Amino acid sequence: MLDDRSKKILHAVIQLYISSPGPVGSRSITKKFPIGLSPATIRNIMSDLEDMGFLRQPHTSAGRVPTDSGYRFYVDALTAEKSDNDAELASELIRKLELIRTDINSFLDNASRMLSELSHYIGISVSLNTHQTMLSRIEMLPYRKNQIAVMLITDEAVIRNKIISVEQEVSREDLNRLAGYLNERFAGHTLEDIRKTIVAEIANDRMLCDGLISEAMAICNNVFSASESDVFISGLSEVLTLPDFCDIERIRRLFRTIEDKQVILSLLEKISATDGPQVLIGSENPLDELKQFSFVAAPYCEGNRPIGAIAIIGPTRMNYGQAIYLVDMTAKFITDIFSYSR
Amino acid sequence: MLDDRSKKILHAVIQLYISSPGPVGSRSITKKFPIGLSPATIRNIMSDLEDMGFLRQPHTSAGRVPTDSGYRFYVDALTAEKSDNDAELASELIRKLELIRTDINSFLDNASRMLSELSHYIGISVSLNTHQTMLSRIEMLPYRKNQIAVMLITDEAVIRNKIISVEQEVSREDLNRLAGYLNERFAGHTLEDIRKTIVAEIANDRMLCDGLISEAMAICNNVFSASESDVFISGLSEVLTLPDFCDIERIRRLFRTIEDKQVILSLLEKISATDGPQVLIGSENPLDELKQFSFVAAPYCEGNRPIGAIAIIGPTRMNYGQAIYLVDMTAKFITDIFSYSR
DNA sequence: TTTAGCACTCTCCTTGTTCGAGTGCTAATA
DNA sequence: TATTAGCACTCGAACAAGGAGAGTGCTAAA
């Protein structure tokens, strides 16, 4: 499809553009890259690459800039061959990954911060709400007046707390009976199953004293409804240093979109259906507001089931090699932790 | 100190400057405010106000701009009199506060988002780590291999989960005994007390089988050490719309500072020693990076003890009346919730 | 097929100029 | 005596013109 020479030139353009934005001309390529060709020849080739849609000219008589398809081609070639291994980056990564291992409580927060610090882009980590989470135990405690603390212990890394308000006061004994009943009934089922069947089942069951039934149903509905996922975002200040973001309106829209965690969540949910690192370049992104940015994401799993994802958001002019490396390694590391501690 | 006329002019300058930035001149004051004075007179007064340090001139023959002391004077006058009650804002506020009541689980997140949405500045809410939190119960459960889930149920709204790793496996029976022991020993004490006395006490106590002692100490140290607080920040995209932030470097430094939640936490901790809404204007702020911004904060309490705080960060050219109103009402509302549900 | 040379184009930066808003000062006025 | 009108002056924003520099496309030569 593309001869070797054209590929080399395309890569050269992209790498120059990544290291500093602004159209790259034929002359600067000959200077920085030892291809035995004159600027004129390179101009011809670049013209061809432009016809093929891999490069474009911001205006007549400016240098060339990669298009999204250009990046796509570059990234596809990148994942095929060995990614660049910056030794310093690697050791820094290992050091920070250890932090994640030792502080499993806030590993999501740590992971997102680490990704942003090492990549200098935005780091994101989420625990997915797959509805496939399995309940391993439920605990209920009286908390305050008319409030009950419910703890769902799932087979994920996350324990979910809920404080729910109830109409009438419920005694500790009743709570224990209710919890015991629920445990017996539902331990080992997915949260989604529980939510679906619970109303019907409980309504039919005579094991509970009738006065408690309505309360129980209310509680269960509340607890098992939308089990929220966690989303951590770090490094917003990082991208403000990039020259790409001189246009403040663009950043604003990006931030606005990212702040709506639900959006991020559903995007990453979609991405983590496939395993291994995924790259969405510019317009490949389903969300309009993110079409000017790129997304590098990978799910982490427990066993074979993805239970979360981490990601990097940056400009389309992103250091893809490094980003993919970081995301991939981190996801694998977290997956390892989960399979180890079983 | 200041005669009535000067005050009126100062307020006029500040209000005009708040509604749109850029030096305000004598002419525009006479247009927008029905003071029966000519521009020339106002010029004289403004010149006096400048000498007193309440206004300043960006350059010769430009209009005047309020200084930090100008804002301070304005804010002090504001809190004395009745703050402006925008009916629409008030009803919107009530509506959103109800959301906080019904979703007590993520009320901090909701509160920060609400503050930013209504004020169009940055909204912050934290639960303070006062070390005065009282432990009401502790639960321990085996979680995964070599991991224990510990739940601290405190008398705050927050339940703290910790998953901690242990060297040797601990049986469920041992865990129960340990938990029972800890409950008996420490329920009703503050976390700080527990952390201080725990090592000595446990080491001396023979009630535990000896093999468990080292594990227990490790667990307790881990659990009671730095009990992290929650920090929620919303509305970063809001401030990007403000014309004040055309200088991208300034925003970057602000974001960078805010992203370090520890900084925010200690700042709000200091502020919430005093009760009622506090205002830090520009250079009054202890942190260098925030000296170009203003901070409106108020603690919320359980009983008389502050257990958290909410805040708004915006430009010094902030709508102080509205911000104070929002923060004050919200803090009071949250305080109410806590005293009610007792 | 590749390269050298040349004319052309476009952006960026600098310089000069104008325009308008606003001030400070002084003299006139109530 | 306090206020106002008038006037000269200052400064920044906005606009235009011009030159420098980088880069291209095309043509002709190697």
Side-chain angles (χ1 to χ4, degrees), chain A residues 105 143 151 156 163 259, chain B residues 105 143 151 156 163 236 252:
Chain A
N105 294 297
Y143 184 57
M151 283 166 258
E156 279 182 15
I163 297 171
E259 276 189 330
Chain B
N105 294 297
Y143 184 58
M151 283 165 258
E156 279 181 17
I163 296 171
L236 293 181
R252 220 210 77 235

Side-chain angles (χ1 to χ4, degrees), chain A residues 88-102:
Chain A
E88 196 178 340
L89 180 74
S91 72
E92 184 78 4
L93 177 64
I94 302 283
R95 214 173 54 71
K96 301 213 170 189
L97 284 175
E98 281 308 316
L99 184 69
I100 292 178
R101 191 205 299 283
T102 54

Side-chain angles (χ1 to χ4, degrees), chain A residues 14-15 17-19 71 74-75 78 83-84 86 89 118-121 242 244 279 294 296 312-327:
Chain A
I14 291 180
Q15 276 174 39
Y17 191 67
I18 283 177
S19 64
Y71 286 123
Y74 173 74
V75 168
L78 204 63
S83 69
D84 59 342
D86 183 344
L89 180 74
L118 292 185
S119 69
H120 298 293
Y121 303 130
L242 297 175
D244 311 64
V279 182
S294 284
V296 178
I312 290 177
I313 295 183
T316 50
R317 182 187 72 84
M318 179 193 266
N319 188 335
Y320 288 99
Q322 179 183 295
I324 293 172
Y325 174 72
L326 287 173
V327 165

Side-chain angles (χ1 to χ4, degrees), chain A residues 49-312:
Chain A
L49 286 171
E50 187 172 4
D51 292 340
M52 288 185 265
F54 292 134
L55 296 178
R56 83 191 160 76
Q57 242 177 338
H59 53 86
T60 333
S61 85
R64 301 306 208 289
V65 161
T67 62
D68 288 351
S69 353
Y71 286 123
R72 167 52 61 197
F73 192 90
Y74 173 74
V75 168
D76 288 345
L78 204 63
T79 43
E81 66 186 43
K82 192 80 204 132
S83 69
D84 59 342
N85 278 345
D86 183 344
E88 196 178 340
L89 180 74
S91 72
E92 184 78 4
L93 177 64
I94 302 283
R95 214 173 54 71
K96 301 213 170 189
L97 284 175
E98 281 308 316
L99 184 69
I100 292 178
R101 191 205 299 283
T102 54
D103 189 3
I104 189 77
N105 294 297
S106 47
F107 82 94
L108 281 178
D109 198 8
N110 286 331
S112 76
R113 193 160 25 240
M114 183 203 71
L115 286 176
S116 85
E117 276 172 13
L118 292 185
S119 69
H120 298 293
Y121 303 130
I122 297 174
I124 294 182
S125 59
V126 307
S127 75
L128 286 180
N129 173 11
T130 54
H131 296 293
Q132 293 306 311
T133 310
M134 211 173 287
L135 178 69
S136 84
R137 188 162 146 196
I138 188 169
E139 293 267 340
M140 290 177 159
L141 297 165
Y143 184 57
R144 290 159 185 273
K145 194 163 162 291
N146 288 343
Q147 286 187 336
I148 299 173
V150 181
M151 283 166 258
L152 296 188
I153 301 169
T154 68
D155 63 347
E156 279 182 15
V158 191
I159 300 177
R160 295 187 190 158
N161 288 325
K162 282 227 166 184
I163 297 171
I164 58 179
S165 303
V166 290
E167 295 287 316
Q168 66 185 80
E169 211 154 346
V170 184
S171 73
R172 181 179 279 260
E173 289 73 37
D174 282 345
L175 271 187
N176 280 342
R177 272 172 51 212
L178 182 54
Y181 167 74
L182 292 175
N183 273 320
E184 192 178 311
R185 200 81 178 168
F186 294 119
H189 291 71
T190 66
L191 296 186
E192 193 179 21
D193 283 351
I194 297 174
R195 188 177 50 78
K196 272 188 196 155
T197 59
I198 204 147
V199 178
E201 292 229 4
I202 290 192
N204 292 334
D205 208 307
R206 295 288 113 190
M207 180 194 141
L208 294 163
C209 60
D210 285 79
L212 212 53
I213 288 186
S214 64
E215 281 298 334
M217 284 178 63
I219 292 173
C220 294
N221 265 329
N222 192 323
V223 169
F224 291 106
S225 60
S227 51
E228 68 273 1
S229 314
D230 288 323
V231 177
F232 290 87
I233 300 172
S234 297
L236 293 181
S237 64
E238 294 282 356
V239 297
L240 290 175
T241 63
L242 297 175
D244 311 64
F245 298 95
C246 50
D247 178 12
I248 216 158
E249 176 58 21
R250 244 172 68 193
I251 314 185
R252 220 209 78 236
R253 282 216 300 276
L254 172 66
F255 281 14
R256 192 175 192 79
T257 310
I258 291 182
E259 276 189 330
D260 185 352
K261 302 188 166 174
Q262 213 51 48
V263 171
I264 298 297
L265 209 55
S266 61
L267 183 57
L268 281 178
E269 216 159 53
K270 237 177 276 169
I271 286 181
S272 54
T274 330
D275 67 26
Q278 302 286 309
V279 182
L280 290 182
I281 299 167
S283 53
E284 297 172 6
N285 207 302
L287 283 89
D288 277 352
E289 294 85 352
L290 297 182
K291 281 200 193 308
Q292 300 187 312
F293 306 92
S294 284
F295 216 90
V296 178
Y300 57 85
C301 305
E302 170 167 354
N304 291 323
R305 191 159 54 82
I307 57 170
I310 57 172
I312 290 177

Side-chain angles (χ1 to χ4, degrees), chain B residues 151-164:
Chain B
M151 283 165 258
L152 296 187
I153 301 169
T154 68
D155 64 347
E156 279 181 17
V158 191
I159 299 178
R160 295 189 189 157
N161 288 326
K162 282 227 166 185
I163 296 171
I164 59 179

